[in-house]
DNA sequence: GTTATAGGGAATT
DNA sequence: AATTCCCTATAAC
C-alpha cells in the first residue's frame, strides 16, 4: 500500500506504483499532467515549461494543476522545477528542497 | 465576468 | 543581477 511505496522511496529503492489510486474525480487536464509525472524517474527533473510544451499549455497552468496534486511524492510534482531556480511547492519550499536533495538533484 | 497563480521572456536599469 | 512589463492557461470566486 502507500506506506510501502513511501518506505521504499525514502530508502532510495524506487519502484512503480503498486497500489490502486482513485482518479475518478480528476479532470482530464489533471490526468494528463499526473501521467507525465509518473514517467519521470527518481533523480530526474523537468521544468514547468517542458511539461507545458508537451501538453500544449502554459507553464503557469502547469503550476496551477501541480499545486492541486492529490498525492504528492507518489505523483512526484517536486521534480518539476522552474527554469530559473526552484519553483513553488504546496507543502512549502523546504519540503521541495529536502526531497530534491534526497534524490541528489541539488 | 474578474482575480490570483508552484511560470517564462524580453527590455531596461 | 535585479526590476519592470507583458504574455499565458487554469482555478477559484
Amino acid at each position: 500500500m502507500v506506506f510501502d511505496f513511501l518506505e521504499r522511496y525514502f530508502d532510495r529503492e524506487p519502484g512503480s506504483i503498486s497500489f490502486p489510486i482513485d482518479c475518478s474525480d480528476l479532470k482530464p487536464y489533471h490526468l494528463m499532467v499526473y501521467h507525465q509525472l509518473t514517467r519521470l524517474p527518481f533523480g530526474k527533473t523537468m521544468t514547468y515549461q517542458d511539461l507545458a510544451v508537451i501538453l500544449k499549455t502554459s507553464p503557469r497552468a502547469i503550476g496551477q494543476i501541480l499545486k492541486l496534486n492529490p498525492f504528492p511524492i507518489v505523483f512526484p510534482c517536486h521534480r518539476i522545477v522552474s527554469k530559473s531556480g526552484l519553483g513553488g511547492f504546496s507543502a512549502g519550499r523546504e519540503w521541495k528542497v529536502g526531497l530534491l536533495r534526497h534524490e541528489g538533484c541539488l
Side-chain angles (χ1 to χ4, degrees), chain A residues 75-102:
Chain A
F75 291 159
C77 56
H78 57 278
R79 294 184 193 137
I80 306 303
V81 295
S82 163
K83 188 170 261 188
S84 50
L86 183 98
F89 200 64
S90 54
R93 283 187 169 72
E94 307 79 30
W95 268 95
K96 193 164 182 176
V97 173
L99 293 170
L100 287 176
R101 291 185 65 205
H102 179 244

Side-chain angles (χ1 to χ4, degrees), chain A residues 1-9 15-17 19 73-74:
Chain A
M1 63 133 76
V2 203
F3 299 119
D4 302 330
F5 178 90
L6 292 177
E7 199 170 320
R8 271 187 282 119
Y9 173 79
S16 43
I17 298 171
F19 52 92
I73 299 184
V74 29

Side-chain angles (χ1 to χ4, degrees), chain A residues 19-59:
Chain A
F19 52 92
I21 293 180
D22 180 21
C23 298
S24 54
D25 45 55
L26 293 176
K27 294 177 158 187
Y29 283 114
H30 299 221
L31 289 173
M32 298 299 182
V33 176
Y34 301 143
H35 175 62
Q36 286 302 127
L37 288 186
T38 63
R39 296 165 45 77
L40 232 193
F42 188 103
K44 286 199 76 179
T45 65
M46 264 190 223
T47 69
Y48 293 92
Q49 181 161 268
D50 293 336
L51 276 190
V53 168
I54 292 171
L55 299 179
K56 313 285 238 178
T57 180
S58 85

